Every structure is written in C-alpha cells, then in structure tokens.
Amino acid sequence: MANVLLIGMGTTTSSALASLLCQCNVLGIVRNIGDRTNNDDPVVSLAEQKNIPIFTDTSQQQIRSLILKLQPDCVVVSSYDRILPSDLIELSAFINVHYSSLPQYRGRANVNWAIINDEPRAAITIHKISADLDEGNILFQQLIPINVDDTIADLYDKLNEIQQQFLGETVVKTLHGYEGVRQNNAEATYCCTRLPEDGEIDWSASTRSIDCFIRALVSPFPGAYTFFEGQKLI
C-alpha cells in the first residue's frame, strides 16, 4: 500500500481520511486541533482508532520536516489555508482536493461563493499541486447541482461523500502513473477568502440574492447577520 501523509485543517478532512484508509497507509495527519477534544473532532477519533499520529504544528517548516523524516509516497491536502512553495512540493508527490470545477473558482471559499453567485452547480476536483494556485493537472472531477434550497452544509455533505468514495482510488491511480488532464488556464476564475464580518445582509439586494447569501453562510460558517434595534441577529 502507498504511504501517505494527510494535511487537513477543515471539515473535509474526515472524509478524506476515511477514503485514504481504504486504499493507503496513512503515516500521519497534519491538523491544528486547537482546544477541540477527541469527542467533537471525528478526525482525531478516527486517527486514535487507527493509531495514526496527529501533528498539530501546521507550519510549512513542520510539513517539510515530516516529509523528509517519513518519506511518504504522496502528500494529500484536503483543506489547508496556505500556498505551498515550489521547493516544498518538489519533495514528494502532492495531490489536493478542491471543492470547485477547476479551472473555475480557484482560491478560497469556493462553495460559499458558488451559492452566493447563484451558480447552478458545485463540484469537487482532485488535482496535482503545482507552483501556481490550484493550477495542476486534474485527476478527478465531478459536478453536482445546487438545488434551490441547498445550504452550504448540504453541499459539503454531498461533496464529502464523493471525496470519500473517490479520493483513495484516485491517489493510487496517480501513483501508478496516471498524469491527469491539463487545465485550460484561459478559463480560470478566482475567489477570495471570506471573513465573518463579510456576512452582513444587504437588504437592497434582490430577494433571491439575499436567500442565496443566507444559505451560503449557515453552520459550520458564522452565519449571515443583520442588526435590529441595536442587536445583532444571525
């Protein structure tokens, strides 16, 4: 079995780990667990069951040290908030899970923006990591419809299920020589990150736009908000 190091800081990491465990030997997980306990973090719980070490220092220096020490066949990234430099990704094969239909929606908060922008579809793309942002060859991609009442939580549940089904086998396929399909950079679009303060509702927008905005920011995100008689309402 292929030896894999998993980097994951968000809600996508649990299904990524479950998928990899079916196909690979997971050497460790890079994850900032903060003050979360084993009971409320499924990644920690599953890692403990499988005796997989968790490395809570998520810095690039730590990742570099782990790669040099563990010598993984592949580093899989499922939710990481920093761009990996070229001298780091040269140390191993790197594969990233990105929740958009690359080359469209490169960058951050892609599923949120897809709902806010009233897109008809969301997507998951598994791709090789290259020096440029979300630019590497596409190894797997699947689109799903965004239904009229879908929230961000609904879409994450659906995309996580697809990741759990296909990530492990895609990693193995790639390590056996599959190169994937090059992206058309001329079609690339980009998203910026979103902060909690970006969630204030603009009541001058259309009803449809407001509905999309609210659905895009429900839990696990901070939520859309407004003010009424001096009180903040989520």
Side-chain angles (χ1 to χ4, degrees):
M1 297 179 85
N3 292 319
V4 172
L5 176 66
L6 174 61
I7 302 173
M9 297 173 62
T11 58
T12 70
T13 310
S14 179
S15 59
L17 176 58
S19 184
L20 292 172
L21 285 171
C22 294
Q23 303 276 346
C24 307
N25 177 35
V26 180
L27 301 173
I29 305 166
V30 178
R31 183 172 178 81
N32 180 8
I33 60 176
D35 57 1
R36 289 176 289 193
T37 66
N38 296 356
N39 293 330
D40 62 13
D41 187 343
V43 176
V44 174
S45 299
L46 184 54
E48 286 196 339
Q49 292 173 24
K50 301 297 184 180
N51 295 315
I52 301 171
I54 293 183
F55 304 97
T56 58
D57 180 355
T58 60
S59 68
Q60 293 182 2
Q61 180 179 356
Q62 166 75 343
I63 292 171
R64 186 185 306 274
S65 297
L66 287 172
I67 293 172
L68 294 174
K69 177 182 177 181
L70 300 176
Q71 294 291 306
D73 299 309
C74 182
V75 179
V76 177
V77 182
S78 183
S79 185
Y80 187 62
D81 61 359
R82 275 152 272 182
I83 297 174
L84 298 171
S86 57
D87 63 326
L88 178 56
I89 63 177
E90 289 172 357
L91 297 178
S92 184
F94 275 78
I95 293 175
N96 184 52
V97 182
H98 186 80
Y99 280 7
S100 85
S101 57
L102 292 176
Q104 298 180 333
Y105 281 66
R106 293 175 178 174
R108 300 289 304 279
N110 309 291
V111 187
N112 309 81
W113 280 115
I115 299 177
I116 292 171
N117 294 337
D118 204 6
E119 297 282 5
R121 291 174 294 276
I124 174 174
T125 303
I126 302 172
H127 67 98
K128 289 187 174 182
I129 293 181
S130 69
D132 295 322
L133 178 65
D134 298 325
E135 188 271 341
N137 284 13
I138 293 173
L139 305 168
F140 171 88
Q141 187 173 90
Q142 184 170 323
L143 278 64
I144 61 171
I146 300 178
N147 299 319
V148 66
D149 58 349
D150 275 338
T151 67
I152 185 70
D154 296 326
L155 293 183
Y156 265 88
D157 284 346
K158 295 173 186 178
L159 295 169
N160 283 338
E161 287 180 6
I162 298 171
Q163 177 183 221
Q164 184 165 339
Q165 183 177 355
F166 292 102
L167 176 59
E169 67 179 49
T170 301
V171 169
V172 172
K173 181 179 178 181
T174 303
L175 291 175
H176 281 90
Y178 178 61
E179 292 292 332
V181 179
R182 292 188 64 180
Q183 296 186 44
N184 183 353
N185 290 331
E187 297 178 353
T189 59
Y190 294 85
C191 296
C192 62
T193 191
R194 294 190 58 83
L195 302 174
E197 54 264 36
D198 298 325
E200 184 170 5
I201 298 168
D202 176 8
W203 293 107
S204 68
S206 69
T207 302
R208 175 63 181 171
S209 295
I210 293 170
D211 177 70
C212 290
F213 190 74
I214 293 170
R215 290 186 292 109
L217 300 179
V218 304
S219 180
F221 296 91
Y225 66 90
T226 190
F227 292 93
F228 181 71
E229 295 183 348
Q231 298 294 316
K232 184 178 182 179
L233 302 177
I234 305 296

